[in-house]
Amino acid sequence: MALDRLHRSILELIAGSSRVEARRVVAGDPTTIQQQIELQLRDQEKLSALRRRPLRSVWEASPRVMHRLERSLNLSGKEYALAEARQVQLAVAETEPGWSLVTLAADVANKRNEILYSAGSAVAILAIFGAVFTASSEPGYVVLLAAGAALLAGLSAIAASIPWVRWTLNKRRARVELILESLLDQVDR
């Protein structure tokens, strides 16, 4: 458990949070607001409900063939960034009669992991090339030199890849947040 928390803390330090959230107080009954947003999640974003409770629901990319085809062909030019998220959560709470606090949150840990694995693969390849290059040029202390070169190449690649990882993930999070805010805009009229 503590190791898992440490792992998540290191990932968040390197790449940032995997949670993107938009929250707003809007005029309307909580149940009506929930129904409106769920309709948008289903029809506009091509998501399907994993779990529905009063004033709460959890969504993921719809597995329906037509929805998957529409997302992949993308004939409308719409980006389905929420369908790329692991899950989207909706929570609605009444703040006072006629007003509701709406929270939409997307878990983009899967996208964060993809980008980190890509960066990690590049680091590993650079380290291997550094080790092979060093081993082929010096016949003496080959193992020691190769290990040192691999370590140096790996550490250099890690240092160089962190800004790229952050930039890429921040761009993805900003796009998801914009879509979540847009969904809130549609019920905040």
Side-chain angles (χ1 to χ4, degrees), residues 99-117:
W99 292 91
S100 301
L101 172 64
V102 182
T103 304
L104 278 166
D107 179 359
V108 293
N110 57 332
K111 297 313 257 181
R112 181 179 70 180
N113 292 345
E114 284 177 21
I115 292 167
L116 287 171
Y117 288 139

Side-chain angles (χ1 to χ4, degrees), residues 53-132:
R53 308 282 299 159
L55 306 181
R56 301 184 90 67
S57 57
V58 179
W59 296 74
E60 71 176 0
S62 174
R64 292 181 54 201
V65 172
M66 290 307 293
H67 286 170
R68 288 182 10 202
L69 186 61
E70 188 173 339
R71 285 192 309 261
S72 65
L73 292 177
N74 195 10
L75 298 175
S76 66
K78 177 178 179 19
E79 180 184 2
Y80 294 100
L82 292 185
E84 293 177 1
R86 196 171 68 81
Q87 289 182 344
V88 176
Q89 298 174 349
L90 167 65
V92 185
E94 185 174 57
T95 56
E96 59 183 76
W99 292 91
S100 301
L101 172 64
V102 182
T103 304
L104 278 166
D107 179 359
V108 293
N110 57 332
K111 297 313 257 181
R112 181 179 70 180
N113 292 345
E114 284 177 21
I115 292 167
L116 287 171
Y117 288 139
S118 296
S121 298
V123 166
I125 289 169
L126 272 169
I128 290 168
F129 278 138
V132 168

